[in-house]
């Protein structure tokens, strides 16, 4: 069962821009895990590939970025992936953690059930406190949700032909020995499919996906530089992109594609999703 959890946080001291970046937030997540299960925290720290979690950049409550005069599909999808100035003390913030492995969520049950709002956690030199954790859909928080894998598959449409993704933080994909920030169908559904097959019990045959029948019908995307997600810079893509399925009616293939598209909320896509990159969700 994948989970997309929102942690509402309040810093007790200024959080300077360098500490609001991916590698420090990654370390904060591992500290949360180690607090309840030191062995698990060490395991996740040493794990190199196929990691069962993602994190978001730190967000200041209700100050999400918007596009300029362009007409976006959904302005709320814009997230702040970089801070130019310090986040002031007592500023309400939120942070998303997604978990793809049911057992990982279970091992952290004591953390979710026994959050102490008075306990300080360290993000760089700053202390912050966790007020609460949201795991169900909220009218003002589209990133919170949880659903069993089998239900995610069962409820996926067999007819919907349009696939629109909002890339909320810089997204880039591995291509041989280089990176490719262009979200083409092979990269999008390949990334989603590999993570789905790793953690769900419903296997999707990626080689049978009709990706050659997906055509771009809308895009409003741009490149952004993601700084210091792992002491380096990466070129990523943000914005909205739609693909339309053109071909003979094939309910099973469309169900596979719709399953993976809906799964994007939890899995993200591309590289460095455990550092805040590739935070993506499907929108209508």
């Amino acid at each position: 069962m994948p989970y997309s959890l929102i942690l509402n946080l309040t810093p007790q001291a200024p959080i300077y821009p360098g500490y609001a970046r991916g590698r420090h937030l990654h370390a904060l997540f591992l500290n949360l895990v180690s607090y309840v299960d030191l062995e698990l925290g060490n395991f996740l720290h040493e794990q190199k590939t196929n990691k069962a979690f993602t994190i978001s950049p730190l967000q200041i409550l209700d100050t999400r970025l918007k596009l300029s005069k362009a007409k976006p599909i959904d302005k709320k999808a814009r997230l702040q992936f970089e801070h130019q100035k310090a986040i002031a003390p007592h500023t309400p913030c939120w942070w998303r953690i997604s978990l793809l492995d049911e057992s990982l969520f279970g091992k952290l049950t004591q953390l979710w059930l026994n959050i102490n709002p008075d306990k300080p956690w360290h993000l760089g030199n700053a202390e912050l406190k966790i007020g609460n954790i949201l795991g169900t859909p909220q009218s003002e928080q589209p990133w919170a949700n949880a659903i069993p894998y089998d239900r995610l598959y069962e409820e996926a449409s067999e007819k919907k032909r349009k696939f629109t993704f909002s890339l909320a933080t810089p997204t880039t994909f591995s291509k041989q020995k280089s990176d490719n920030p262009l979200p083409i169908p092979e990269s999008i559904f390949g990334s989603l499919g590999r993570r789905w097959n790793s953690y769900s019990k419903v296997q999707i045959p990626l080689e049978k996906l009709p990706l050659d029948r997906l055509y771009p019908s809308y895009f409003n995307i741009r490149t952004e530089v993601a700084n210091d997600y792992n002491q380096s810079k990466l070129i990523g893509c943000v914005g909205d992109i739609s693909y339309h399925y053109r071909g003979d009616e094939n309910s099973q293939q469309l169900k596979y594609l719709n399953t993976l598209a809906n799964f994007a909320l939890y899995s993200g896509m591309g590289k460095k999703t455990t550092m805040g990159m590739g935070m993506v969700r499907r929108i209508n």
Side-chain angles (χ1 to χ4, degrees):
M1 179 169 176
Y3 298 83
S4 183
L5 307 172
I6 300 297
L7 283 67
N8 288 311
L9 313 170
T10 306
Q12 305 303 298
I15 299 177
Y16 295 99
Y19 292 114
R21 292 175 175 170
R23 61 193 180 97
H24 291 285
L25 291 165
H26 182 94
L28 174 60
F29 172 74
L30 295 180
N31 287 339
L32 291 173
V33 174
S34 297
Y35 179 72
V36 293
D37 191 326
L38 181 59
E39 184 178 349
L40 177 61
N42 291 335
F43 171 77
L44 293 176
H45 177 71
E46 297 297 330
Q47 192 179 24
K48 301 300 181 184
T49 60
N50 204 25
K51 296 182 179 181
F53 68 93
T54 78
I55 65 171
S56 78
L58 191 63
Q59 302 297 303
I60 298 174
L61 197 61
D62 292 330
T63 57
R64 303 167 197 158
L65 294 182
K66 299 180 179 181
L67 295 179
S68 57
K69 294 183 180 179
K71 186 178 180 182
I73 295 177
D74 184 357
K75 290 183 178 180
K76 291 183 179 179
R78 302 292 164 254
L79 298 182
Q80 189 165 357
F81 52 86
E82 198 168 57
H83 296 274
Q84 301 299 326
K85 58 183 181 180
I87 300 174
H90 310 298
T91 301
C93 300
W94 64 269
W95 183 42
R96 198 283 293 266
I97 296 172
S98 76
L99 304 174
L100 306 181
D101 190 337
E102 176 73 34
S103 63
L104 179 57
F105 179 86
K107 290 177 180 178
L108 299 177
T109 298
Q110 292 306 309
L111 176 63
W112 319 129
L113 295 181
N114 298 299
I115 283 294
N116 181 356
D118 295 323
K119 175 179 172 53
W121 299 89
H122 290 277
L123 181 60
N125 292 329
E127 289 186 347
L128 49 82
K129 294 182 178 180
I130 301 174
N132 57 30
I133 298 177
L134 305 176
T136 56
Q138 311 287 319
S139 59
E140 297 299 321
Q141 182 47 269
W143 293 97
N145 213 335
I147 185 174
Y149 277 106
D150 55 357
R151 212 177 96 205
L152 192 59
Y153 175 75
E154 290 166 3
E155 295 180 359
S157 172
E158 297 179 352
K159 297 182 179 180
K160 188 176 290 186
R161 291 169 170 258
K162 187 177 181 181
F163 305 91
T164 303
F165 298 96
S166 178
L167 287 68
T169 63
T171 304
T172 192
F173 304 89
S174 295
K175 186 177 182 180
Q176 296 176 348
K177 295 183 179 181
S178 61
D179 299 323
N180 183 8
L182 192 63
I184 61 176
E186 290 79 2
S187 298
I188 291 173
F189 288 97
S191 177
L192 295 173
R194 286 188 291 273
R195 291 174 191 178
W196 172 273
N197 286 344
S198 292
Y199 298 106
S200 77
K201 295 180 180 179
V202 183
Q203 294 293 293
I204 290 179
L206 301 182
E207 68 279 1
K208 294 184 178 180
L209 293 180
L211 302 182
D212 58 335
R213 297 183 180 180
L214 291 173
Y215 295 87
S217 58
Y218 170 88
F219 51 89
N220 184 3
I221 56 177
R222 66 182 187 275
T223 55
E224 291 284 357
V225 176
N227 289 298
D228 201 19
Y229 277 83
N230 191 18
Q231 295 183 318
S232 62
K233 294 182 179 181
L234 290 173
I235 302 298
C237 178
V238 296
D240 301 324
I241 189 164
S242 292
Y243 285 96
H244 188 79
Y245 175 83
R246 296 178 186 174
D248 298 333
E249 187 73 30
N250 187 315
S251 59
Q252 187 58 61
Q253 288 184 335
L254 284 172
K255 189 175 188 68
Y256 285 153
L257 291 173
N258 279 292
T259 298
L260 294 180
N262 296 339
F263 179 54
L265 171 70
Y266 307 95
S267 73
M269 61 177 68
K271 298 182 61 173
K272 305 293 184 184
T273 54
T274 61
M275 296 282 180
M277 293 186 70
M279 192 172 172
V280 177
R281 68 188 181 100
R282 185 184 193 176
I283 57 177
N284 295 315

